[in-house]
Amino acid sequence: MAVLTERERAASGNVPGAVLCADAHDSDESLAARAGKGDRGAFTTLIGRYEHRVYRFAFVRLGSEHDACEVAQETLMRAWKAAPSYRANAAYASWILSIAHNEIVNVVRRRRKDRRNRVGRNAEPGGASNVLKDDEAEALPDVWRAAREVLEDSVFEIVWLRYAEDMEPRQIATVTGRTPVGVRVLLHRARAKIAEALGAQVSVSEVDERD
């Protein structure tokens, strides 16, 4: 599923649209360095690699296709504008997902504000939920459905980054603004909660203890 259509890219004005892509074998970091110098073809290749990853990350966190698309589009726009600030000493995946994380936090804050306003008007809270709808949850494997149900959103995000995105704790720390030690502690506790919910040991590998 493509998050940004060619029409949407063209309408954005600042994000490259139909331009020649860079070599598909180039590393993310090499492409990002070129994008930072204004190479739109390099950034278009990065969009192809990351638009769905960003969308999926936002969707499992927010449970809304609309909000996930909004986060993905804003993330890619911000990544293009901030491209000159990227430094190759950090993995590009960590860098762009940290932008997505900040956009997700903005959506969550907006939801909370809207909810408070509705309650203040004596209305039913209702509205968008951070929990996936039944049909959407059914599409997830049992372990992920259990994780979605028993973990706080911020902890679920960390578990997703570790096992769905295969990120190391130090990379997750970069994305979420935590420490590597804090990430490992939360992962350990999360696995225990998921195992308890499933009534069995969770089939995920132990967290690598390297920083």
Side-chain angles (χ1 to χ4, degrees):
M1 172 183 177
V3 173
L4 297 180
T5 65
E6 288 298 324
R7 179 181 296 178
E8 288 169 333
R9 287 185 184 133
S12 70
N14 293 321
V15 175
V19 296
L20 294 176
C21 293
D23 188 340
H25 299 293
D26 288 346
S27 70
D28 292 347
E29 290 70 30
S30 173
L31 291 169
R34 289 161 57 185
K37 297 177 181 178
D39 187 333
R40 291 181 169 230
F43 190 70
T44 298
T45 300
L46 288 171
I47 287 177
R49 294 180 184 182
Y50 280 95
E51 62 181 354
H52 182 65
R53 288 178 67 178
V54 171
Y55 169 86
R56 185 177 63 166
F57 176 45
F59 179 74
V60 297
R61 179 69 166 80
L62 298 170
S64 162
E65 290 185 3
H66 173 77
D67 287 342
C69 283
E70 182 180 282
V71 165
Q73 291 171 351
E74 189 64 26
T75 296
L76 294 173
M77 288 289 294
R78 290 185 180 277
W80 172 243
K81 292 176 180 177
S85 69
Y86 170 74
R87 296 294 178 267
N89 59 339
Y92 188 75
S94 301
W95 185 78
I96 195 168
L97 289 180
S98 68
I99 297 174
H101 168 80
N102 291 335
E103 292 303 315
I104 289 168
V105 169
N106 289 338
V107 172
V108 171
R109 287 173 177 166
R110 187 174 69 240
R111 286 178 175 181
R112 288 174 180 167
K113 182 178 179 180
D114 291 345
R115 194 175 299 121
R116 285 196 300 268
N117 289 340
R118 285 193 294 270
V119 171
R121 294 194 300 267
N122 296 319
E124 290 295 325
S129 170
N130 288 358
V131 180
L132 297 180
K133 294 180 287 187
D134 290 343
D135 57 338
E136 293 159 348
E138 283 299 319
L140 296 174
D142 288 346
V143 65
W144 285 113
R145 290 205 302 271
R148 179 71 275 183
E149 291 172 2
V150 303
L151 300 178
E152 295 179 2
D153 290 338
S154 58
V155 179
F156 178 84
E157 179 181 72
I158 288 172
V159 173
W160 180 268
L161 290 170
R162 179 67 182 100
Y163 297 110
E165 291 291 343
D166 197 28
M167 285 189 166
E168 299 294 331
R170 65 181 180 277
Q171 294 175 306
I172 298 171
T174 298
V175 172
T176 61
R178 298 176 183 270
T179 66
V181 171
V183 167
R184 287 195 289 268
V185 169
L186 288 172
L187 284 168
H188 177 76
R189 293 173 179 172
R191 287 199 305 272
K193 281 189 175 183
I194 297 169
E196 182 180 359
L198 293 174
Q201 291 298 314
V202 181
S203 58
V204 293
S205 60
E206 289 298 315
V207 174
D208 192 333
E209 292 299 324
R210 293 174 298 174
D211 290 336

